[in-house]
Amino acid sequence: MTPNPLRRAAAIIALSVLAFSGTAVAAQAATVEPSPSPTVTAEPTAEPTAEPTAEPTDEPTAEPTEEPTDEPTAEPTDEPTAEPTDEPTDEPTAEPTAGTVPVPALTVTQPTCNGLNVVNTGRIAITPASTVEWIVLNEGGSLYGLNEEDIEGASENPGDAGQFDVAPGEYHVFAYPGDDKEFTNLGAWALIEPEFDTTIFQTITITPFAGTCPVETQLTDATKGGFTSPASVTRGGTLVLSGLPAGAVLRGYLFSVPTDLGVATVAADGTLRLTVPAAVTVGTHRVALYRADGTLLGWQYVEVLAGGQLAVTGVDPVAGVLGGVVLVAAGGALVLARRRLAS
């Protein structure tokens, strides 16, 4: 007899229920004996879990965090810092160095005296590198909306040097290094707006001359001295003055025929060397020294001699000539006497 599928299904379900029930009973039977275990387990689990977690967590965390942090931080910082710093520094330094140029040399001369006369203008001289272009604008000039009357001077080609006289006032000098170039060691120069980060500028002020040019009437007994001068010097020779402050920039003059001896700097040993023009008249002169502001430092007498003339030493030149004649005569007499003895 063929079993009914429904019955078979019901049997399977029944068997499953029985099997599950049996398993539940068995599990219950196994749990009944250690019934106190859940109660005992719940109490000790709550206490030891709270206590050991708080204590060991705080203590071991503080100790290992401080010690390993100090040691590994010092070691890895030194090693990786040295290596990457050397490599990137060498490479980027080499590239910009190859594309740099020095800033232009700028010389400014303020109004001063030329001989006995005041020079009312100053002078600006600029010498740039071969790739550098420059322009000088007066006080009202600007790179924005530039006008022809604002320009005092400019380079026609890169590397051009120039110098020009300017009246007292304020002037702005701009310099551009050329394509793919930049300036190094700006010194007194400064970069203009950030968008022109390679163009530099410098502001120059030419001030009116406030001193006085040499006047012979200043050379009085009260102003005599201030330095030491030799008794004489030959025309075209070097006049060496001493007893002056080292590093001072002084201008020398000869009087009574006013002659400009030029500007020189006193050496470390306190000496000043000036060249006496070959056209200066022979005779007694007064050499006077003036400071940069035109004030008189002092003056001394000096004898200007013709070339080849003996310097005055205090010996009577006539007596010297007579002495020479006597010596020549005595020598001739001695030679004559020897010849007679020989014969």
Side-chain angles (χ1 to χ4, degrees), residues 239-316:
L239 178 61
V240 181
L241 308 176
S242 59
L244 293 163
V249 179
L250 304 173
R251 181 182 290 273
Y253 286 90
L254 280 181
F255 295 93
S256 59
V257 177
T259 304
D260 188 357
L261 302 181
V263 177
T265 301
V266 179
D269 61 357
T271 59
L272 183 73
R273 305 174 71 87
L274 300 172
T275 300
V276 177
V280 170
T281 58
V282 173
T284 301
H285 293 260
R286 285 170 293 179
V287 55
L289 295 180
Y290 292 82
R291 302 180 182 88
D293 61 359
T295 59
L296 176 66
L297 185 147
W299 64 274
Q300 292 285 8
Y301 284 110
V302 62
E303 185 77 14
V304 176
L305 307 174
Q309 184 178 345
L310 295 175
V312 177
T313 60
V315 178
D316 187 349

Side-chain angles (χ1 to χ4, degrees), residues 333-343:
L334 181 59
V335 171
L336 181 59
R338 287 178 178 175
R339 287 179 179 176
R340 287 180 178 179
L341 289 175
S343 62

Side-chain angles (χ1 to χ4, degrees), residues 196-221:
F196 302 106
D197 58 353
T198 59
T199 301
I200 58 176
F201 80 98
Q202 191 172 156
T203 300
I204 302 298
T205 301
I206 302 296
T207 57
F209 181 65
T212 58
C213 291
V215 179
E216 190 173 1
T217 56
Q218 295 175 318
L219 309 185
T220 64
D221 291 340

